[in-house]
């Protein structure tokens, strides 16, 4: 067995170097994404990733301001930290789900807390997904792709090559 094939099989890739078994479902360009985190670093990092994929991030450091922005002009997606100054991410999520203007907006909760208990509460409150910090680009876009696959976000049109 060749070296790369062996490495691929050890890493459980179908073929050496192959990572994906299905076609990528990219999210439509230009969607507005609200990023809510009290860490400027997280907001900047996530915003940069989203911009590189032709999305329009809006960064906010607290839940009160984010809630006002979301109600005024609902975004297409929200990344929401759980631990925020003032109102928590849990409280904001509850308010988003109760408001008809924001009830259907997909929300991906993020947290650096090691406790998995949070996922239980998030499922009950109605978040669409959960992501632990630190996270990488691959994880961010895997979460977004799941929402596209579920029909919660519009897909980027595929190019015709004929």
């Amino acid at each position: 067995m060749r070296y790369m094939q062996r490495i691929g099989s050890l890493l459980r890739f179908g073929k050496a170097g192959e990572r994906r078994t299905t076609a990528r479902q990219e999210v439509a360009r230009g969607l507005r994404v609200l990023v809510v985190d009290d860490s400027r670093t997280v907001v900047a990092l996530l915003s940069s990733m989203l911009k590189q994929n032709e999305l329009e991030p809006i960064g906010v450091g607290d839940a009160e301001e984010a809630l006002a922005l979301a109600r005024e002009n609902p975004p297409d997606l929200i990344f929401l930290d759980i631990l925020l100054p003032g109102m928590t991410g849990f409280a904001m999520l509850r308010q988003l789900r109760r408001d008809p203007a924001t009830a259907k907006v997909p929300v991906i909760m993020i947290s650096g807390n090691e406790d998995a208990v949070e996922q239980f509460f998030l499922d009950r409150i109605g978040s669409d997904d959960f992501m632990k910090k630190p996270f990488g680009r691959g994880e961010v876009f895997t979460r977004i792709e799941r929402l596209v696959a579920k029909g919660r976000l519009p897909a980027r049109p595929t190019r015709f090559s004929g």
Side-chain angles (χ1 to χ4, degrees), residues 99-143:
D99 188 333
T102 58
K104 303 276 187 209
V105 176
V107 177
I108 298 174
M109 300 296 288
I110 53 179
S111 177
N113 192 340
E114 295 298 319
D115 295 336
V117 177
E118 294 168 337
Q119 269 186 292
F120 170 77
F121 291 108
L122 295 175
D123 290 341
R124 294 193 61 162
I125 296 170
S127 83
D128 294 275
D129 211 338
F130 176 77
M131 194 167 65
K132 283 193 178 266
K133 296 177 196 175
F135 50 81
R137 182 178 175 78
E139 185 172 3
V140 169
F141 288 102
T142 296
R143 307 281 180 194

Side-chain angles (χ1 to χ4, degrees), residues 19-105:
R19 290 183 171 172
R20 211 171 253 291
T21 57
T22 59
R24 180 180 300 260
Q25 292 187 317
E26 292 187 51
V27 69
R29 290 179 178 96
L31 294 183
R32 294 178 59 248
V33 181
L34 184 60
V35 178
V36 187
D37 199 303
D38 58 331
S39 166
R40 291 181 186 172
T41 304
V42 171
V43 170
L45 178 68
L46 196 47
S47 294
S48 176
M49 289 178 192
L50 296 168
K51 283 179 191 174
Q52 289 172 358
N53 210 46
E54 301 178 65
L55 301 175
E56 296 178 18
I58 303 155
V60 180
D62 64 76
E64 290 84 359
E65 182 182 355
L67 197 54
L69 285 172
R71 286 177 171 157
E72 181 182 311
N73 190 4
D76 299 297
L77 172 63
I78 299 173
F79 280 93
L80 177 59
D81 189 18
I82 292 173
L83 297 175
L84 294 166
M87 181 189 304
T88 68
F90 288 126
M92 181 178 166
L93 180 60
R94 270 199 266 350
Q95 289 193 29
L96 287 169
R97 294 300 181 230
R98 290 180 183 150
D99 188 333
T102 58
K104 303 276 187 209
V105 176

Side-chain angles (χ1 to χ4, degrees), residues 1-21:
M1 187 181 289
R2 289 186 1 215
Y3 176 75
M4 288 306 291
Q5 288 174 325
R6 179 151 169 75
I7 295 295
S9 68
L10 290 172
L11 296 174
R12 301 176 197 252
F13 294 149
K15 295 178 185 171
E18 184 180 329
R19 290 183 171 172
R20 211 171 253 291
T21 57

